[in-house]
Structure formats: structure tokens, C-alpha cells
Amino acid sequence: MMNAAAINPHAGVKAGKHRKPWRIKEWMSGKGLEQKHVAEKAEISAVSIVSRTINGGANNRKVLAALRDMGCPEKYLALPEDMKGD
């Protein structure tokens, strides 16, 4: 059985290691949101960056800010210190 690090060597890096992807996805589903909506809010064209950020493999600040601004609980996002409480 492969662990997350074997699948994604970037998972668990910095703030992303405490991110709760399943909670974020559950929240998005409850709001009827898709990754494309987050990309639009973040004003980025690559939905893949949204996916990587949600899953903890990236810490795209535009994506994290968009999720936060759309109402996603910060406790799911594991925001970098300088983004908390903005």
C-alpha cells in the first residue's frame, strides 16, 4: 500500500500538511461549489492549482484566499500564519 508521500512528494509541506481536503470538499459540495468556481474567484485559469492546493500539495495564496472569502472555515484550510484573520 502506498502512502500519501509516495503518491505526492509535496504533500505535507508547510501549511498544507494540516489542511483537511475531505472537509474542504465536503464544504464545497454542501455549497454547490466546484473547483472551477474557486479558480474563477481566485482569478486563475488552472483548476489543477485549486486541486493541488486543496489536497495540500501546493499553497497557492490566491486559492486559499478565495476559499476563505467564499466562506470555507479557516480550520480546514491550514492557512499560512500571515493569512490568518485577514
Side-chain angles (χ1 to χ4, degrees), residues 24-37:
I24 296 168
K25 292 173 188 176
E26 181 180 63
W27 172 82
M28 288 175 62
S29 178
K31 298 291 183 184
L33 297 171
E34 297 177 12
Q35 291 180 9
K36 67 180 181 180
H37 300 121

Side-chain angles (χ1 to χ4, degrees), residues 15-28:
K17 80 176 180 182
H18 297 294
R19 195 155 298 132
K20 296 178 175 54
W22 294 110
R23 292 290 193 188
I24 296 168
K25 292 173 188 176
E26 181 180 63
W27 172 82
M28 288 175 62

Side-chain angles (χ1 to χ4, degrees), residues 25-83:
K25 292 173 188 176
E26 181 180 63
W27 172 82
M28 288 175 62
S29 178
K31 298 291 183 184
L33 297 171
E34 297 177 12
Q35 291 180 9
K36 67 180 181 180
H37 300 121
V38 178
E40 289 168 5
K41 174 76 174 172
E43 299 180 345
I44 60 173
S45 60
V47 175
S48 62
I49 293 294
V50 174
S51 177
R52 288 182 50 223
T53 300
I54 289 172
N55 289 306
N59 282 317
N60 186 285
R61 290 170 177 277
K62 287 184 177 185
V63 171
L64 291 171
L67 285 164
R68 180 193 60 206
D69 295 348
M70 294 169 94
C72 186
E74 286 189 21
K75 64 184 177 182
Y76 301 162
L77 299 174
L79 295 171
E81 286 299 319
D82 63 325
M83 289 185 71

